[in-house]
Amino acid sequence: MAIIIDGKKIANDLCQELSHKIDILKKEHNIFPCLKVILVGSNPASQVYVRNKQKKAESIGISSETIVLPDDIPENELIKKIDELNKDPSVHGILVQLPLPNHINASRIINSVNVEKDVDGFHDENVGKLVKGEKNCLVPCTPKCSLYLIKSIEENLSGKNAVVIGRSNIVGKPMFHLLLQENCTVTILHSKSTNLAEYCSKADIVVAAVGKPNFVQAEWIKEGAIVIDVGINSVNIGGQNKLIGDVEFEGAKKKVKAITPVPGGVGPMTIAFLMMNTVTAACLQNEVDLSV
Ligand code: GUN
């Protein structure tokens, strides 16, 4: 029987542990972790994600505010707002929700966030440090939590074949580097790849981050693999909206060692790791070591 990885429970346990650390930061170091989320426009999916982040932050003692800015805000105005937050010592984490409207250069915005407040880990300097395997950087939450879930099933990944499906800057590319640092043999598959089934059939670990419902077919997957499904796809089934992942879950769970469900797998874990990154950022900025 496959292990259905309970991301919701693991995330709750991690957040509970984190809330104790936050208490210590407040009581012993007079540091009050604070996360500011910037939402440009009114993308409904982004609104849901941002609301969930803020709710979780508040529930564990991180002060959090969502700054909603208009769709047509000029790029320089947005940078001015980020700069204010960069200069405010009471703000430890800044997250600009993506995607941004087309007239805004997302890369310029991401790199205008102070590197020590970049809780998304998207700033070029944090990306560079991740690629080089340096430890003192903020790592993107979704790949970081995906690795955590893989290691909750199998601690030693050395020599394992890993396949990452999707090459986004947010998930696929950082996931590649994290698995490489664990001494996996890593292959990235993407929209121009051929023979996906063949690559997957040799993979001990599959991370699916394509954003297409049921894209990864159960028959592609090797017996006993660990499967992490990053996809969150809203589909209409029988007149009802349902969230499903990138992997054919029902078929896959009959043959894998472990798999994350959607919802309740990677989603809640990503938010928990954002909370951890916020506390890590607060510690970094104040030279406190709580080892989060
Ligand atoms: N949009 C989708 N995922 C993410 C994420 O991890 N961070 C930000 N800032 N925006 C996103």
Side-chain angles (χ1 to χ4, degrees), residues 151-171:
K151 293 188 77 165
S152 75
I153 301 297
E154 188 123 3
E155 178 59 30
N156 183 5
L157 305 182
S158 188
K160 300 281 183 202
N161 289 331
V163 160
V164 178
I165 313 176
R167 55 174 157 180
S168 69
N169 290 331
I170 295 181
V171 187

Side-chain angles (χ1 to χ4, degrees), residues 163 189 194-203 220:
V163 160
L189 304 177
T194 56
N195 296 340
L196 279 83
E198 193 183 323
Y199 285 102
C200 288
S201 71
K202 297 193 177 82
W220 298 359

Side-chain angles (χ1 to χ4, degrees), residues 95-116:
L95 181 147
V96 183
Q97 186 67 26
L98 302 175
L100 287 166
N102 286 337
H103 70 279
I104 291 175
N105 178 336
S107 185
R108 188 163 171 236
I109 297 303
I110 287 165
N111 285 316
S112 67
V113 173
N114 180 311
V115 69
E116 287 196 345

Side-chain angles (χ1 to χ4, degrees), residues 74-278:
E75 190 173 289
N76 283 344
E77 288 295 314
L78 177 54
I79 290 179
K80 224 192 273 173
K81 185 71 217 170
I82 293 170
D83 233 23
E84 269 174 38
L85 302 175
N86 282 340
K87 291 193 183 107
D88 182 344
S90 73
V91 174
H92 304 104
I94 303 168
L95 181 147
V96 183
Q97 186 67 26
L98 302 175
L100 287 166
N102 286 337
H103 70 279
I104 291 175
N105 178 336
S107 185
R108 188 163 171 236
I109 297 303
I110 287 165
N111 285 316
S112 67
V113 173
N114 180 311
V115 69
E116 287 196 345
K117 298 189 179 188
D118 170 36
V119 284
D120 261 329
F122 295 165
H123 189 290
D124 286 356
E125 199 176 310
N126 280 320
V127 174
K129 283 182 173 176
L130 172 65
V131 171
K132 290 170 78 179
E134 288 179 19
K135 295 283 170 245
N136 63 336
C137 65
L138 290 160
V139 175
C141 304
T142 303
K144 193 176 174 188
C145 80
S146 298
L147 180 65
Y148 183 91
L149 291 177
I150 295 165
K151 293 188 77 165
S152 75
I153 301 297
E154 188 123 3
E155 178 59 30
N156 183 5
L157 305 182
S158 188
K160 300 281 183 202
N161 289 331
V163 160
V164 178
I165 313 176
R167 55 174 157 180
S168 69
N169 290 331
I170 295 181
V171 187
K173 286 180 200 163
M175 191 76 242
F176 171 89
H177 290 289
L178 289 174
L179 289 164
L180 189 60
Q181 276 163 32
E182 294 294 323
N183 299 315
C184 290
T185 306
V186 197
T187 304
I188 288 214
L189 304 177
H190 49 79
S191 55
K192 301 288 186 289
S193 297
T194 56
N195 296 340
L196 279 83
E198 193 183 323
Y199 285 102
C200 288
S201 71
K202 297 193 177 82
D204 306 302
I205 296 159
V206 175
V207 179
V210 247
K212 290 186 185 156
N214 290 340
F215 179 81
V216 180
Q217 294 170 33
E219 59 260 38
W220 298 359
I221 295 169
K222 182 176 160 180
E223 291 276 337
I226 299 172
V227 178
I228 304 295
D229 192 345
V230 176
I232 302 178
N233 308 292
S234 179
V235 293
N236 193 288
I237 299 172
Q240 281 202 325
N241 280 338
K242 245 188 105 181
L243 290 182
I244 66 169
D246 288 348
V247 180
E248 247 181 21
F249 181 80
E250 289 304 322
K253 79 173 184 197
K254 295 191 184 112
K255 61 197 296 201
V256 298
K257 179 171 185 185
I259 186 166
T260 57
V262 178
V266 172
M269 287 296 289
T270 293
I271 296 181
F273 273 67
L274 173 65
M275 301 304 123
M276 285 201 254
N277 271 0
T278 304

